[in-house]
Amino acid sequence: MNVTAFSVQGFERSFLQRANQTRHHLTLLDTPLSADTAHLAQGALAVSIFTRDDASAPVLGQLWDLGVRYLAVRATGTDNVDLAAARQLGLRVANVPEYSPYAIAEHAVTLMLALCRHLRQADQQLRANDFRLDHLIGFDLHGKTVAILGVGRIGGVVARILHGFGCQLLGVDVQPNPDLTVQYGLRYVTLTEACAQADIISVHTPLNADTQHLIDDELLRQMKRGVMLINTGRGGVLDTEAALRALKSGQLGFLGLDVYEREKPLFFADHSQELLLDDTFARLLTFPNVLLTGHQAYLTREALTNIADATLASLTAWAQGRPAAHEVAVPVAQKQPVA
């Protein structure tokens, strides 16, 4: 099968090539998919994309007209894919639902620890030969109440890790998992209750119409003053302007982000020789109690291996005329030719 993969980073090329083992003819492009670049998929039966790619209805229509019949998303989230349009066209879509919950969960806890012990400031001071400790007083995670918004596989691993720290755990999810209550004492509550009680809130919800700007001015006001907020889920769940207002007022005491709602023009590229034109992101960088990483929570050898293996497994299943194991958009009608 001819496959064109968009937004392929240098670090993932070897993982994709190793997983492929010459089963398919892979064209690996660092170019993001968009209406202007869709033509690069000419001659491909399948396309693979990442989170920053544009798989809106018009772009999917272009791909279909080029002969593309399969779309493999190298991520869990599919909020950048118009699944309804894919079904209507007959385009089959698969994602990677579980590449490493440990990678994301561990990164979320890393942000918590780095913030609560002021590690960013400590590193900066030492590099400037300033060995004072006056402004580096932190706090114990032990005994703190942590609310996990979205208690799926990743949220469950976060609960396991924080249980080991001796945290009191709250969960907010539409499908409570009673096993987490039994194993780690996690108590399911409403979003309002979580905001009122939590010292730390960790976000792991998907991005959809219900969660877009879920954390806004109103919800931030309901949180404890000085709360720590961690988001390693999707950037659009947090209204960044609202977060900036809460940081300025002191309502938000710490903010750790691996995702950003307008990250697509910024992340995964070198802009070191350019002016930072995103004023909102620039303002985030001015706060000493904000710690940002560039969508790297998933970036472990184990996760990259699993992403590549699952993506190639989907492509191989389609090439053999079988459904992929993790299809998220089954076409209304079977319009595509057998691969």
Side-chain angles (χ1 to χ4, degrees), residues 30 85 99 122 153 224 279:
D30 59 6
Y99 46 86
R153 285 292 305 279
K224 279 187 177 182
D279 292 338

Side-chain angles (χ1 to χ4, degrees), residues 206-213:
L207 180 63
N208 53 44
D210 294 326
T211 61
Q212 175 71 34
H213 281 186

Side-chain angles (χ1 to χ4, degrees), residues 135-197:
H135 302 294
L136 301 178
I137 299 173
F139 61 87
D140 295 349
L141 277 186
H142 180 83
K144 297 300 183 292
T145 298
V146 182
I148 302 170
L149 308 189
V151 197
R153 285 292 305 279
I154 296 171
V157 177
V158 171
R160 182 192 305 176
I161 295 171
L162 293 178
H163 175 71
F165 276 93
C167 296
Q168 305 300 311
L169 301 174
L170 305 176
V172 180
D173 202 290
V174 294
Q175 294 181 315
N177 180 355
D179 290 342
L180 298 178
T181 300
V182 174
Q183 295 173 352
Y184 312 123
L186 183 143
R187 182 165 55 91
Y188 285 94
V189 296
T190 66
L191 182 58
T192 299
E193 291 173 316
C195 290
Q197 299 176 37

Side-chain angles (χ1 to χ4, degrees), residues 64-120:
W64 180 267
D65 291 341
L66 290 170
V68 174
R69 298 297 180 260
Y70 307 103
L71 184 71
V73 182
R74 303 190 307 280
T76 299
T78 56
D79 47 276
N80 58 329
V81 182
D82 190 324
L83 295 178
R87 292 188 182 97
Q88 189 63 37
L89 286 167
L91 187 69
R92 304 193 79 95
V93 180
N95 69 340
V96 184
E98 297 177 3
Y99 46 86
S100 177
Y102 308 102
I104 311 294
E106 290 170 8
H107 194 83
V109 176
T110 297
L111 291 174
M112 294 178 199
L113 290 167
L115 283 166
C116 78
R117 300 306 299 267
H118 305 290
L119 296 188
R120 175 186 163 200

Side-chain angles (χ1 to χ4, degrees), residues 238-277:
L238 173 66
D239 182 341
T240 315
E241 293 290 344
L244 283 166
R245 288 188 286 270
L247 285 165
K248 290 177 68 175
S249 71
Q251 175 66 10
L252 189 54
F254 304 89
L255 179 63
L257 301 178
D258 184 58
V259 290
Y260 172 56
E261 62 179 319
R262 293 192 290 273
E263 69 182 50
K264 286 186 179 181
L266 291 174
F267 288 7
F268 306 110
D270 181 4
H271 301 288
S272 59
Q273 304 304 311
E274 305 169 15
L275 291 174
L276 179 56
L277 299 179

Side-chain angles (χ1 to χ4, degrees), residues 33-63:
L33 174 64
S34 68
D36 294 329
T37 63
H39 69 275
L40 296 174
Q42 179 74 51
L45 190 60
V47 157
S48 179
I49 65 170
F50 192 54
T51 56
R52 66 170 178 161
D53 290 304
D54 178 4
S56 58
V59 176
L60 293 181
Q62 287 180 264
L63 293 177

